[in-house]
Amino acid sequence: NTPKAILFEGPPGTGKTTSARIIAATAGVPLIYVPSEVFLSKWFGDSEKSIASVFEKTSRLGKSILFIDEIDAIAGNRDDNGMHEVSRRMVSTLLRKLDSFESKNEVLLICATNRKSKLDPAILSRLDNCISFNLPDVDARREIFKRYAKQLTEAEIEKVSNEAEGMSGRGILEICKTVER
């Protein structure tokens, strides 16, 4: 009962891509990272062909993880009246590939988005699981600061952890890098 497709959803900088890398490394399988813009083309039919090609090539690899970042860019809701016909065809192709993704359960598809509400309901219905990545709470922020701001005292870490409410892990990392520079 292995999942075939999972959605990681949450604000930017909360660790969706990093988690996919960690899962692949822990499982000892390759991670095929595909940003959604790879599928976009100005030529008629090329976008759909790109989607089909990525799925076919990945299934030939055997045990692996296919990670599609910003899935909402290619799998938006088809009920949106302003949606372009190319986008509708990409969603249809993606749905067909998800339905017929035959890799003997060797390939795990992980999709990431920070706009789950924009996804087509048919795409959502084909995902086996949805994992939410929230902004870090004060305890998580404290641990992030401990990792990247080792020069700070415990009291300073406590203070900045409380002041960084609403920041993502990546945002905290960027602040630490900037201060260090």
Side-chain angles (χ1 to χ4, degrees):
N1 193 12
T2 306
K4 195 164 70 168
I6 296 173
L7 179 67
F8 286 178
E9 64 103 4
T14 54
K16 297 178 295 288
T17 305
T18 300
S19 293
R21 287 184 184 128
I22 291 169
I23 292 167
T26 302
V29 298
L31 175 69
I32 297 86
Y33 174 83
V34 184
S36 58
E37 64 266 13
V38 164
F39 298 120
L40 304 176
S41 173
K42 66 180 181 176
W43 304 109
F44 185 83
D46 276 0
S47 296
E48 302 92 277
K49 288 177 189 172
S50 293
I51 291 171
S53 175
V54 165
F55 274 83
E56 289 162 14
K57 289 176 181 174
T58 302
S59 66
R60 282 190 235 142
L61 281 176
K63 291 187 183 227
S64 57
I65 295 175
L66 173 59
F67 183 79
I68 301 177
D69 203 3
E70 298 186 30
I71 189 76
D72 50 283
I74 62 166
N77 192 333
R78 292 174 291 174
D79 291 337
D80 178 6
N81 291 331
M83 181 180 251
H84 193 277
E85 184 56 33
V86 171
S87 299
R88 291 182 196 284
R89 289 195 319 265
M90 286 193 319
V91 172
S92 295
T93 302
L94 187 56
L95 288 169
R96 281 194 309 277
K97 286 301 169 184
L98 283 170
D99 282 341
S100 66
F101 197 34
E102 296 175 10
S103 65
K104 301 175 189 154
N105 283 339
E106 291 186 323
V107 178
L108 172 63
L109 171 65
I110 300 176
C111 304
T113 184
N114 54 22
R115 302 182 320 163
K116 180 181 175 185
S117 63
K118 300 291 185 186
L119 291 175
D120 192 271
I123 294 289
L124 289 171
S125 73
R126 284 162 174 85
L127 299 170
D128 298 308
N129 201 350
C130 177
I131 299 171
S132 293
F133 288 71
N134 298 316
L135 290 171
D137 62 12
V138 70
D139 295 329
R141 292 191 303 270
R142 187 179 310 111
E143 292 304 314
I144 296 168
F145 275 112
K146 281 182 184 177
R147 179 171 184 170
Y148 297 114
K150 294 181 177 163
Q151 73 281 7
L152 296 180
T153 66
E154 284 292 325
E156 291 169 328
I157 286 177
E158 191 64 36
K159 182 178 183 208
V160 294
S161 298
N162 288 319
E163 291 176 0
E165 185 172 351
M167 291 191 68
S168 68
R170 184 182 327 134
I172 293 169
L173 169 62
E174 292 304 318
I175 284 176
C176 293
K177 283 181 178 180
T178 301
V179 168
E180 188 176 331
R181 286 186 200 121

